[in-house]
């Protein structure tokens, strides 16, 4: 269950007061209300007359339930040209997902030798 957040409340950094963060309640599956709140906030902030009040980037947790609808709004142009910054907060879930949809089918399709090569490549990229 997401915490309570007021998207219009600004959080600033002591180290850099030009960095301003707005927090939403996230996107739970089938929660159209919060998605609409975020969409209206983005529209309102991207049309602000002064640059300091405009929205410069959107951050989000990619593996959060309900994120698909938000990303669809971005891909179809509804959110405009504001960059999206993706944060992986559940790395273990990402690895499990990759194992299920990428690694296991690759192993079955390409055989054990190709899988061993891919495994060595992945280990080297982690170092």
């Amino acid at each position: 269950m997401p915490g309570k957040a007021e998207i219009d409340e600004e959080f600033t950094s002591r180290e850099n007061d030009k960095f301003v963060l707005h927090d939403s309640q996230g996107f739970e599956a089938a929660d159209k209300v919060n998605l609409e709140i975020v969409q209206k906030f983005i529209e309102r902030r991207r049309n602000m007359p002064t640059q300091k009040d405009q929205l410069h980037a959107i951050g989000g947790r990619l593996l959060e339930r309900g994120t698909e609808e938000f990303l669809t709004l971005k891909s179809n142009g509804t959110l405009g040209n504001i960059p999206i910054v993706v944060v992986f907060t559940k790395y273990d879930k990402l690895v499990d997902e990759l194992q299920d949809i990428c690694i296991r089918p690759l192993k079955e399709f390409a055989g054990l030798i190709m899988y061993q090569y891919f495994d060595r490549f992945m280990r080297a990229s982690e170092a």
Side-chain angles (χ1 to χ4, degrees):
M1 179 160 193
K4 294 294 179 194
E6 176 57 49
I7 197 165
D8 286 306
E9 183 178 347
E10 293 185 350
F11 297 94
T12 56
S13 168
R14 287 183 221 154
E15 290 79 25
N16 181 355
D17 64 353
K18 294 186 180 16
F19 179 80
V20 179
L21 176 73
H22 294 266
D23 189 17
S24 76
Q25 291 185 22
F27 303 110
E28 291 296 318
D31 181 7
K32 304 283 186 202
V33 173
N34 197 49
L35 181 63
E36 190 174 309
I37 289 169
V38 171
Q39 188 176 353
K40 287 178 180 178
F41 173 81
I42 291 169
E43 184 67 27
R44 191 171 63 246
R45 293 303 288 240
R46 101 181 155 157
N47 291 318
M48 291 283 202
T50 59
Q51 186 178 19
K52 75 173 190 66
D53 294 326
Q54 293 174 0
L55 199 56
H56 302 287
I58 301 168
R61 296 182 304 264
L62 187 62
L63 297 177
E64 189 173 51
R65 290 178 302 186
T67 305
E68 185 176 343
E69 284 185 70
F70 178 77
L71 293 175
T72 299
L73 292 173
K74 175 63 180 164
S75 68
N76 71 18
T78 302
L79 301 181
N81 61 355
I82 299 169
I84 302 272
V85 178
V86 177
V87 179
F88 290 102
T89 58
K90 298 176 183 175
Y91 182 74
D92 56 335
K93 186 175 178 182
L94 172 66
V95 171
D96 289 346
E97 295 270 336
L98 288 175
Q99 183 69 26
D100 290 343
I101 55 180
C102 294
I103 308 300
R104 201 168 289 121
L106 176 64
K107 183 178 178 182
E108 292 170 5
F109 179 74
L112 185 57
I113 294 172
M114 187 62 162
Y115 176 76
Q116 290 170 338
Y117 173 80
F118 183 73
D119 189 51
R120 281 194 308 266
F121 173 78
M122 290 300 288
R123 288 175 196 263
S125 68
E126 291 176 358

